[in-house]
Amino acid sequence: MIFEEKKKEEEMNEKFLTDLCECFALLDEGFITFELHFICVPCLLKAASDKEETEEVQKDVEMALLALCCIEENQGIGEEQFLNEIKEIIRHHQKHRNLTQLAYQSAWQFMMDRFFRDTKLEEVLNELQFVRETAKELDALMKCVDWKKEKGEKRRKDTKEELIVLRWLQKFEYFFRMRELWDEEYVGLLSSFVGLFRASRDNYRGISKLCIESLDFSASNRAVKVEDLLKGGTIDAVLQVILRPILDDEITFENCSVTA
């Protein structure tokens, strides 16, 4: 259906083609062919670039960005051609704050998934102030979540904010392990992870586990100074995990290596 609609050229219904691409990306969730990649990605980026500030358009933009995140990188394609489009989407949001929290996270996710092998990524992340923006988003999301749970109360279904936090955290393993330059903003980001870990450690093990893993990766990065870990509260957070009284605790078991 995508190919057939694309063949219509001047008579093509762009909205219908966008809907088809979204459905395909969200249902397939994997690698797509070279030909489909060149139809779907530009189509979805165009939809995500719509700057009209209406509720309907905002939903369309969010869906387009979510779908883009589901399309895996195709190494046979020069991905740099998509870099300017996604940068402009992020820049526009930073100026006008027009995206939802989920759409904004999705835009960053698409960029990092696409260009993590590119030597330009470090420069682009600095240009778009990735560290400051991420810390700001995590702090805002943390305030939207009720982390408390009464004794004996069963875990409720995840809220949208909690799921967005998880999506952010899942992108940081490579980033913290490989990052070569650290400054005060990165110390602030570590502080955000520490705050999130402390808020979630009792009632949300999935988030607290990802937080401590990211802090573990930062501690193993030789570019990170001990004073950065102390200032950001990383060492205190890790010690809290290691000194937990429950010996068979999953997080404690998997992160005991940090003490070394």
Side-chain angles (χ1 to χ4, degrees):
M1 291 175 70
I2 291 173
F3 284 128
E4 289 301 316
E5 189 62 30
K6 183 66 176 175
K7 286 178 183 177
K8 294 178 182 179
E9 297 183 355
E10 293 183 3
E11 297 180 4
M12 179 183 66
N13 183 331
E14 287 194 16
K15 179 64 171 67
F16 181 55
L17 180 61
T18 300
D19 290 344
L20 289 175
C21 291
E22 288 173 356
C23 289
F24 180 80
L26 292 167
L27 292 172
D28 185 67
E29 293 190 29
F31 181 85
I32 66 175
T33 65
F34 185 90
E35 293 80 9
L36 271 173
H37 194 287
F38 259 119
I39 297 175
C40 290
V41 174
C43 177
L44 294 173
L45 277 173
K46 183 176 181 179
S49 300
D50 194 331
K51 296 180 175 62
E52 185 180 337
E53 295 184 5
T54 65
E55 185 177 351
E56 183 179 356
V57 168
Q58 188 181 53
K59 288 180 179 179
D60 290 341
V61 168
E62 183 172 88
M63 284 300 299
L65 287 168
L66 279 170
L68 282 166
C69 291
C70 294
I71 300 177
E72 291 186 3
E73 177 191 20
N74 190 322
Q75 295 185 33
I77 295 175
E79 300 289 354
E80 63 276 0
Q81 65 183 294
F82 304 129
L83 183 56
N84 288 336
E85 285 91 338
I86 198 66
K87 281 171 61 177
E88 177 56 31
I89 290 170
I90 291 172
R91 279 202 198 96
H92 186 78
H93 171 74
Q94 290 175 345
K95 185 176 181 179
H96 300 282
R97 296 292 157 180
N98 63 304
L99 299 177
T100 64
Q101 290 173 315
L102 179 58
Y104 191 43
Q105 188 281 330
S106 298
W108 280 111
Q109 182 174 327
F110 174 79
M111 172 182 283
M112 295 183 75
D113 285 349
R114 275 295 186 285
F115 306 106
F116 74 95
R117 293 190 185 93
D118 195 322
T119 55
K120 296 179 183 177
L121 181 59
E122 185 93 356
E123 180 182 333
V124 172
L125 292 178
N126 289 336
E127 176 188 343
L128 296 175
Q129 300 175 316
F130 170 72
V131 175
R132 188 188 69 180
E133 288 291 304
T134 303
K136 184 191 299 182
E137 288 296 303
L138 288 175
D139 290 343
L141 286 163
M142 188 164 60
K143 293 174 184 177
C144 295
V145 176
D146 180 10
W147 299 105
K148 296 179 181 180
K149 183 177 68 172
E150 297 297 329
K151 187 174 181 180
E153 181 183 348
K154 290 184 178 180
R155 179 70 201 174
R156 68 194 182 288
K157 186 178 180 180
D158 294 342
T159 65
K160 183 168 72 172
E161 288 78 15
E162 290 166 347
L163 291 172
I164 300 171
V165 169
L166 282 170
R167 285 165 62 90
W168 276 114
L169 295 180
Q170 288 163 354
K171 292 298 158 191
F172 275 89
E173 175 180 344
Y174 175 85
F175 184 78
F176 276 134
R177 190 194 298 267
M178 304 304 295
R179 178 73 186 187
E180 295 181 357
L181 297 175
W182 287 78
D183 55 25
E184 285 300 315
E185 283 194 343
Y186 283 84
V187 176
L189 182 58
L190 289 177
S191 298
S192 295
F193 272 71
V194 170
L196 188 55
F197 163 71
R198 287 175 174 159
S200 63
R201 63 185 171 184
D202 292 329
N203 295 323
Y204 202 126
R205 305 306 301 281
I207 287 178
S208 61
K209 183 174 184 290
L210 286 172
C211 285
I212 209 67
E213 285 176 353
S214 294
L215 294 173
D216 187 4
F217 291 134
S218 69
S220 66
N221 187 331
R222 294 187 178 183
V224 183
K225 299 177 181 178
V226 173
E227 51 263 39
D228 292 337
L229 298 174
L230 287 168
K231 193 184 301 183
T234 300
I235 292 178
D236 286 342
V238 171
L239 283 174
Q240 288 178 25
V241 173
I242 294 173
L243 298 176
R244 289 177 73 97
I246 305 174
L247 295 179
D248 63 347
D249 183 280
E250 180 184 5
I251 298 180
T252 304
F253 176 78
E254 293 186 2
N255 292 280
C256 279
S257 60
V258 179
T259 52

